[in-house]
Amino acid sequence: MKRFYKAAGVGETEGGFRVELDGRPVRSPAKAPLVFPSRPLAQGVADEWAEQGDQIDAHSMPLMQLSSTAVDLIPAKRPDIVQAISAYAGTDLLCYRAEHPQPLVDRQAQLWQPLLDWAALTYDAPLHVCAGLMPKPQPEEALAALRRVVERTDDWYLSALQTTTGVCGSIIVALALLEGRIGAEEAFEVSQLDETYQIEQWGEDAEATKRRANVRAEIVACRRFVDLLRG
């Protein structure tokens, strides 16, 4: 789409804030009003619009994408999205450890176990760890506790949680990131640990480099989205 405005800014509206292009409010792709809960988030989205060139590149506007998801998709499909996110707890990345080589085993224990311990203490949701790829049933009480965490989030937070969980392959990493237990770079390191180890042994091709850059960018965007959401 060709750029059709000169300036992007933030204005107040009933219930929160809005992004304005030449004074006109931005709407979601489904044409719904975009009412932002916090001014910092609205400003972050306005900055994305302001930074566009002659052509608008939606992929360069992650805050706008997450905001649109919160307004258009989450309310319409909330039960399904809650279920999809919660289901990650049953097969969470952090629970499946390598049997060898020992350096990878040690690294997984060093980086992954503290996050599982944090989740157990924070959410009363202790998850079992196993070696190998065969699924191991998790305690129903822990699964229910993590589902309650997901259920009580608002639509805006849930938008970021959905993306982060999918990108990281772990609801524990996603919650740790969005709750400030770890930063974006650590979330990337933790979720990409196995692949990083393989790259250290065998090298990295161009496709993997590009994919990992996209993963890092999504993680960074989701953390920034939640930080701005909280003002």
Side-chain angles (χ1 to χ4, degrees):
M1 182 189 303
K2 187 175 181 179
R3 180 166 176 157
F4 56 89
Y5 56 92
K6 292 182 179 179
V10 174
E12 295 187 11
T13 188
E14 183 177 356
F17 306 88
R18 69 185 190 185
V19 173
E20 299 174 345
L21 303 179
D22 295 338
R24 295 187 175 186
V26 171
R27 290 181 172 267
S28 73
K31 307 303 180 185
L34 270 176
V35 180
F36 295 88
S38 76
R39 180 180 285 275
L41 179 56
Q43 186 61 60
V45 174
D47 291 344
E48 288 184 338
W49 284 97
E51 291 165 2
Q52 297 299 301
D54 293 336
Q55 298 291 323
I56 297 173
D57 178 11
H59 295 294
S60 69
M61 305 172 70
L63 300 180
M64 178 64 188
Q65 290 180 328
L66 288 165
S67 299
S68 298
T69 297
V71 171
D72 288 344
L73 182 61
I74 301 295
K77 298 185 176 181
R78 185 178 177 92
D80 292 339
I81 291 170
V82 167
Q83 172 59 29
I85 296 172
S86 303
Y88 274 84
T91 56
D92 199 274
L93 168 71
L94 306 190
C95 296
Y96 291 85
R97 309 292 175 83
E99 298 177 280
H100 56 79
Q102 195 60 43
L104 177 59
V105 173
D106 293 342
R107 195 180 301 183
Q108 288 176 343
Q110 179 184 5
L111 294 181
W112 289 359
Q113 192 58 47
L115 296 181
L116 289 177
D117 294 342
W118 169 81
L121 290 172
T122 303
Y123 304 117
D124 193 19
L127 298 177
H128 295 319
V129 172
C130 65
L133 299 177
M134 291 301 295
K136 181 177 183 179
Q138 295 292 351
E140 290 297 328
E141 297 82 358
L143 298 179
L146 289 170
R147 184 184 179 91
R148 287 193 294 271
V149 173
V150 179
E151 288 175 333
R152 64 174 177 249
T153 62
D154 64 31
D155 292 347
W156 293 80
Y157 186 99
L158 195 60
S159 176
L161 183 60
Q162 174 187 228
T163 296
T164 313
T165 302
V167 168
C168 294
S170 166
I171 188 175
I172 303 302
V173 175
L175 288 170
L177 171 71
L178 301 184
E179 291 302 313
R181 169 63 176 76
I182 58 176
E185 191 56 37
E186 186 175 352
F188 175 81
E189 180 183 5
V190 166
S191 63
Q192 292 286 302
L193 190 156
D194 289 351
E195 185 167 338
T196 298
Y197 182 82
Q198 294 301 320
I199 289 171
E200 290 171 359
Q201 309 309 307
W202 310 106
E204 183 176 25
D205 59 33
E207 183 176 342
T209 299
K210 182 179 179 180
R211 187 188 63 78
R212 281 161 60 87
N214 289 336
V215 168
R216 177 184 272 110
E218 287 198 76
I219 290 172
V220 169
C222 286
R223 174 57 187 269
R224 182 165 180 250
F225 179 86
V226 170
D227 287 346
L228 294 173
L229 179 63
R230 291 169 172 159

